[in-house]
Amino acid sequence: QVQLQESGPGLVKPSGTLSLTCAVSGVSITSSNWWSWVRQPPGKGLEWIAEIYHYGTTNYNPSLKSRVSISLDKSKNQFSLRLGSVTAADTAVYYCARRTSSVGWFDPWGQGTLVTVSS
Amino acid sequence: QSALTQPASVSGSPGQSITISCTGTSSDVGNYNLVSWYQQYPGKAPKVMIYEVTKRPSGVSNRFSGSKSGNTASLTISGLQAEDEANYFCCSYAAGNTLFGGGTKLTVL
């Protein structure tokens, strides 16, 4: 059974960098899957952020591309997200999720972690 | 690219059927059979209910079905049950991007 678990600071200062990690269990991160990040501002809809394939190929939401990076840590079977120059608008629950292709559906999802941007 | 458009809320009585629409453009919903639907309970992670417009993952009730016409995809839930009360989001591939709808709150009366 594939499981994902997000971790990282729950509070980030404005203009700082948000860093999150997603630990994957039940499957190797080097398998033929795309590993994604999706966020949800409080009371709002979902927004896809980025994804990475085990070869290192990445795709980014064009609206966030200038501030986002995603990476793999094969030794720890996890992947990470970095979002720079954050503002209050980046306050959201951040989810990691698996896709079997870069155009496919998301399944499963992690439980999500709330990140608040505030001084 | 803008988010996909969903009604903010729908409601129905137990046993009835409801349909949630998801309107995009010819660059996303209308151009790819890559629409998926997610159910989300408050404070919980989303769960896929429909993928590739009409396909249902193993374990999802056959009361859930999906369809598409032009730039609009739809999720139909038949035989409404109290446990179906949740938020539902649509999602579509969009040429190098992935778009979600704003979500629809389903209330079972």
Side-chain angles (χ1 to χ4, degrees), chain B residues 50-75:
Chain B
I50 296 289
Y51 66 95
E52 293 178 353
V53 179
T54 61
K55 298 177 181 178
R56 205 170 39 248
S58 174
V60 172
S61 170
N62 59 10
R63 298 185 298 106
F64 291 82
S65 62
S67 62
K68 190 183 84 167
S69 178
N71 296 336
T72 298
S74 299
L75 173 71

Side-chain angles (χ1 to χ4, degrees), chain A residues 42-117:
Chain A
K44 295 187 178 181
L46 299 164
E47 180 179 35
W48 173 73
I49 302 171
E51 63 193 6
I52 187 166
Y53 193 55
H54 70 89
Y55 286 138
T57 304
T58 57
N59 293 317
Y60 295 103
N61 184 320
S63 67
L64 298 169
K65 187 173 184 177
S66 63
R67 300 193 290 132
V68 174
S69 67
I70 188 171
S71 60
L72 289 174
D73 186 336
K74 298 178 182 180
S75 67
K76 295 183 178 179
N77 213 48
Q78 63 187 29
F79 62 105
S80 299
L81 175 74
R82 288 174 61 85
L83 177 65
S85 304
V86 297
T87 69
D90 295 308
T91 293
V93 174
Y94 285 75
Y95 295 98
C96 58
R98 178 188 66 169
R99 291 175 102 167
T100 54
S101 76
S102 65
V103 303
W105 60 101
F106 299 91
D107 180 55
W109 298 61
Q111 66 182 27
T113 187
L114 175 63
V115 179
T116 301
V117 178

